Amino acid sequence: KLDLEPDSDYETSTFIASSTLGSKHRFIIDSGATSTMVNDARLLSNLYTANPTQIRVGNNEMLVSKQRGTLTLGRLIVPDVLFVPGLSTNLISVGSTPGKWEFSKNSASLFDKDQNTLITAHYINGLYQIKASDLHTALSASTCEISR
């Protein structure tokens, strides 16, 4: 669980995750996170400087986000995503994504208003994760957005 330290110099939010989830390049679907977060600024377009957000990760380490941008994974576009240097795993916040999530025993899918699938995560080791092959396809489709 991620907790934030109250500080008048920092914007505060609440996030749930673990800082020891493993691969730096995977995405976890997080129903408790209030913001989507990435650990690599190259995943974001329209990057801008924002009020610092201080984040306490599961091992009690404090991380700070000072930039935000837009994440594009294939057809999924998420604005106002936090760039968090040192975050071990990218998080997609259920509450910050457009459309409707449907969760099942084996997967979680996000659908747009016309019921088109935007992205699907698979239940692996107790977490809804975007598979590496799906992520590669989504990032390849978004190359023009993330290469800026």
Side-chain angles (χ1 to χ4, degrees):
K1 186 168 183 171
L2 298 171
D3 296 315
L4 297 176
E5 287 292 309
D7 187 319
S8 61
D9 294 335
Y10 291 95
E11 179 178 312
T12 59
S13 298
T14 303
F15 305 106
I16 297 174
S18 168
S19 65
T20 57
L21 291 174
S23 175
K24 180 177 179 161
H25 302 289
R26 71 177 167 172
F27 279 82
I28 302 295
I29 308 306
D30 191 338
S31 62
T34 56
S35 293
T36 294
M37 299 181 275
V38 298
N39 55 26
D40 187 341
R42 294 175 296 177
L43 294 171
L44 302 175
S45 61
N46 306 316
L47 196 64
Y48 64 94
T49 301
N51 290 332
T53 301
Q54 192 173 40
I55 304 156
R56 181 183 302 277
V57 294
N59 66 359
N60 244 8
E61 179 183 4
M62 294 300 294
L63 302 176
V64 177
S65 171
K66 295 180 181 177
Q67 293 180 295
R68 294 177 185 241
T70 300
L71 174 66
T72 303
L73 293 175
R75 297 183 58 220
L76 174 63
I77 299 171
V78 185
D80 206 30
V81 173
L82 299 175
F83 166 52
V84 185
L87 186 69
S88 64
T89 303
N90 301 302
L91 300 174
I92 296 178
S93 165
V94 169
S96 72
T97 51
K100 180 183 177 198
W101 284 94
E102 289 186 12
F103 290 83
S104 72
K105 180 179 169 185
N106 298 317
S107 65
S109 295
L110 178 62
F111 298 93
D112 67 14
K113 62 181 172 65
D114 297 320
Q115 290 300 306
N116 297 309
T117 303
L118 297 176
I119 201 154
T120 297
H122 300 275
Y123 194 72
I124 304 168
N125 298 326
L127 299 168
Y128 290 99
Q129 305 176 42
I130 299 175
K131 288 183 177 180
S133 58
D134 295 340
L135 184 58
H136 176 72
T137 301
L139 288 173
S140 295
S142 306
T143 302
C144 62
E145 290 292 328
I146 65 172
S147 63
R148 292 180 184 171

